[in-house]
Amino acid sequence: MKIAKNIQIAAYGLLRPNSEADGTVYGYTMWNTGGFPVALVDVSYKRRVETKGSPIKVALLKVDRDTINQFDNIEQEGIMYKRILETVYLNDGDVTSAWFYQGVNDFWSKRLLQPKIKDGDWREFQKKRFDRLKGNINMNIFD
């Protein structure tokens, strides 16, 4: 029996595979928590009026009900993150809807979040951070 993978997730952090982003969700600010990102609502963003600024780069995943339940457990849905249906502006110009894990302000407001990831691309942020770290390590010790 084939399991239907008909639930669409807009993944931006650890759930996002090592791939280019498929599109963008607007209206959030991405923050580094130390090991993974959180997208918090940008209160200055005019929802349903503008589609510029406050970007979060996402990959679209098609999953089944069991997988989304596992994701809800990983993301501590309702505590750390809230899964909401969000508009995704695709790179090819189309628009779709997908489930998106938005940070719960009550949880994250009590924690130190830094730095702000201005371009909303966790993969690019991680790559730049690793490249900076690599530049500060003497690789000759491994010769």
Side-chain angles (χ1 to χ4, degrees):
M1 182 169 108
K2 199 173 190 178
I3 297 173
K5 292 187 175 186
N6 56 1
I7 302 169
Q8 192 161 251
I9 299 282
Y12 62 86
L14 300 181
L15 298 179
R16 180 177 159 192
N18 283 330
S19 63
E20 293 297 316
D22 297 311
T24 305
V25 171
Y26 292 100
Y28 298 88
T29 301
M30 183 180 283
W31 293 91
N32 178 19
T33 68
F36 52 90
V38 61
L40 297 174
V41 171
D42 180 348
V43 294
S44 68
Y45 181 77
K46 296 176 183 77
R47 191 159 295 284
R48 297 182 195 1
V49 174
E50 60 183 331
T51 57
K52 301 289 183 221
S54 303
I56 303 293
K57 301 295 182 184
V58 299
L60 294 177
L61 308 177
K62 298 257 189 208
V63 300
D64 59 29
R65 174 58 50 200
D66 287 341
T67 302
I68 201 165
N69 289 337
Q70 290 174 17
F71 286 173
D72 284 352
N73 286 332
I74 291 167
E75 301 294 334
Q76 294 185 31
E77 206 279 329
I79 299 169
M80 292 173 56
Y81 295 88
K82 178 180 178 183
R83 180 168 43 89
I84 63 164
L85 199 56
E86 188 57 86
T87 302
V88 180
Y89 296 86
L90 301 175
N91 295 340
D92 66 8
D94 284 344
V95 178
T96 190
S97 294
W99 290 105
F100 179 81
Y101 287 96
Q102 164 190 311
V104 174
N105 284 332
D106 286 346
F107 180 86
W108 293 107
S109 65
K110 300 171 186 138
R111 282 143 182 88
L112 178 64
L113 302 174
Q114 62 176 349
K116 178 179 175 181
I117 303 168
K118 293 178 185 162
D119 67 356
D121 191 334
W122 177 250
R123 293 283 177 227
E124 191 60 30
F125 173 79
Q126 288 288 80
K127 182 182 177 309
K128 286 177 186 173
R129 188 163 69 169
F130 181 73
D131 288 347
R132 268 194 321 272
L133 183 65
K134 231 174 25 177
N136 293 326
I137 296 174
N138 179 356
M139 299 305 285
N140 293 330
I141 62 171
F142 299 109
D143 290 339

